[in-house]
Amino acid sequence: MALSVSRRLLRSFGTSHGHSWCDYPPISIPPFRNSQALYWHDSGDGQSSVQSFNFWKSGSSFLTSRRLSTSLQSPESSDSAFPSHLLSTKKVITPEHTQGLYQDLVIPVTNFHNEDKGFMVLAGDVFDVPIRKDIVHRVVRWQLAKRQQGTHSTKTISEVSGTGRKPWRQKGTGRARHGTLRGPQFRGGAAMHGPKPRSHAIKLNKKVRRLGLKIALSARAAEGKLLVFDDLEVPTHKTKNIVNYVQQMENASKLLLVDGGPLSEKLKLATQNLHYVNILPSIGLNVYSILLHDTLVMSRDAVNRIIERMHIPINR
């Protein structure tokens, strides 16, 4: 707000009150450049110039409230320039990470013994993509349809066993006319329009398949159900070791272990009798397996291989 004070008014103000308020230090306000905040009008030349001025005011509360500072004050601060009861004691909470912004994620690395093995950066374009249920549904349908064997088969009229003789004459018996006993209306006859061996696979673009895997990985990372281990080495092939490791994990009812290279024989033997623990190599990681397990455990090597595979250009 602009403030215009004439020099005459200031002179009268200073002569009447200037010597009675000298008990307190003056507050100097520097000139405001390129601003019309404070103007002093000169009656001699008629020009307006911005100048600094000193004024006095009784009361320490006024001086305290007018103090300008860029430092952050808190109730624990030793400086009593600002009343502590006016400062908020509420802690500032940093907003949580917003999922789906393609930002790199930093995740701690551990092992079966819950030892600290440092941190690992997960690529945001693989582990932080927006969640789309429609893409996941399409990928799961494609995956389940492709894994169907399609070996079902029924026999047609030419394939069933039986004679080709006409069962009775055409006329004179009062019965319906038939030329064979291998027809579908007879017991042991053919099956009409029955299934034949075929492929149930449906077409799905590679870009959609790859996106589905990224979404599944991002969902587990957003839920906090993605664990990165330094390696998946176990000391022995005993199943009780894996059982103890799983019991130490929080809210892990079904576990999927993903290793980078070939799976170790000790890990296979230790997990083959546990229905709630399954293992896969990184090349076999898929959307349906991720959805079947509530916790995903990946080794460093597996994460690197998955990221490398996701960054390979798709051949058209």
Side-chain angles (χ1 to χ4, degrees):
M1 179 179 180
L3 178 63
S4 301
V5 181
S6 65
R7 181 171 294 179
R8 180 180 301 175
L9 180 60
L10 179 65
R11 188 181 298 112
S12 62
F13 178 78
T15 55
S16 58
H17 302 284
H19 299 287
S20 60
W21 292 345
C22 294
D23 297 335
Y24 304 98
I27 297 178
S28 177
I29 297 181
F32 292 82
R33 296 185 179 182
N34 299 328
S35 174
Q36 298 181 355
L38 298 175
Y39 283 94
W40 295 83
H41 297 281
D42 192 349
S43 59
D45 53 6
Q47 297 180 354
S48 299
S49 61
V50 180
Q51 302 178 358
S52 63
F53 67 96
N54 299 331
F55 63 93
W56 296 265
K57 183 72 176 179
S58 61
S60 60
S61 61
F62 175 78
L63 294 175
T64 303
S65 62
R66 297 295 294 178
R67 180 172 298 178
L68 302 178
S69 175
T70 58
S71 61
L72 297 178
Q73 300 290 338
S74 64
E76 293 78 10
S77 301
S78 59
D79 188 7
S80 60
F82 199 85
S84 60
H85 66 279
L86 296 179
L87 295 175
S88 176
T89 58
K90 184 183 297 184
K91 294 182 179 180
V92 179
I93 301 177
T94 305
E96 296 182 358
H97 168 72
T98 303
Q99 199 277 334
L101 298 181
Y102 301 95
Q103 296 178 353
D104 293 345
L105 306 177
V106 179
I107 187 170
V109 180
T110 181
N111 57 9
F112 282 118
H113 301 284
N114 201 20
E115 298 174 351
D116 186 12
K117 295 295 182 178
F119 296 87
M120 187 174 187
V121 179
L122 305 180
D125 57 346
V126 178
F127 291 90
D128 192 29
V129 301
I131 305 299
R132 290 187 55 182
K133 295 182 180 180
D134 59 319
I135 297 296
V136 175
H137 175 257
R138 292 178 61 185
V139 175
V140 170
R141 281 192 63 244
W142 167 80
Q143 191 172 337
L144 295 182
K146 188 176 178 62
R147 78 175 188 177
Q148 282 188 255
Q149 292 183 354
T151 55
H152 39 48
S153 179
T154 55
K155 292 184 177 182
T156 62
I157 195 172
S158 61
E159 295 173 341
V160 296
S161 61
T163 179
R165 174 179 173 273
K166 188 177 175 66
W168 49 80
R169 60 181 181 169
Q170 183 79 358
K171 294 180 178 292
T173 61
R175 303 183 64 180
R177 51 197 176 193
H178 292 289
T180 178
L181 293 178
R182 296 183 296 177
Q185 67 271 35
F186 292 105
R187 178 181 176 271
M192 298 303 297
H193 309 294
K196 282 294 183 179
R198 68 181 180 93
S199 173
H200 291 266
I202 58 178
K203 181 182 177 182
L204 191 63
N205 294 338
K206 292 181 180 179
K207 291 172 63 176
V208 181
R209 286 183 260 163
R210 179 174 292 186
L211 181 59
L213 183 57
K214 291 180 180 180
I215 292 173
L217 293 173
S218 301
R220 286 293 176 259
E223 296 169 354
K225 295 293 187 177
L226 174 62
L227 305 179
V228 178
F229 281 14
D230 193 33
D231 55 52
L232 298 181
E233 296 296 332
V234 290
T236 62
H237 64 282
K238 293 295 184 179
T239 304
K240 63 180 180 181
N241 295 330
I242 300 295
V243 173
N244 294 333
Y245 297 152
V246 175
Q247 290 178 352
Q248 294 175 3
M249 299 180 182
E250 297 180 358
N251 301 326
S253 59
K254 202 167 185 180
L255 208 64
L256 178 62
L257 305 177
V258 182
D259 204 355
L263 302 175
S264 65
E265 292 298 327
K266 291 182 179 179
L267 186 62
K268 290 181 180 179
L269 295 175
T271 58
Q272 65 180 0
N273 288 335
L274 300 177
H275 67 277
Y276 53 86
V277 178
N278 293 311
I279 56 176
L280 280 177
S282 61
I283 193 64
L285 185 62
N286 58 86
V287 176
Y288 189 64
S289 296
I290 294 176
L291 297 180
L292 283 182
H293 303 80
D294 59 356
T295 304
L296 177 63
V297 179
M298 303 179 66
S299 63
R300 280 183 184 267
D301 188 23
V303 173
N304 293 329
R305 295 196 182 200
I306 289 294
I307 294 176
E308 182 181 0
R309 194 174 83 189
M310 294 295 104
H311 289 166
I312 296 177
I314 297 176
N315 296 327
R316 301 213 177 257

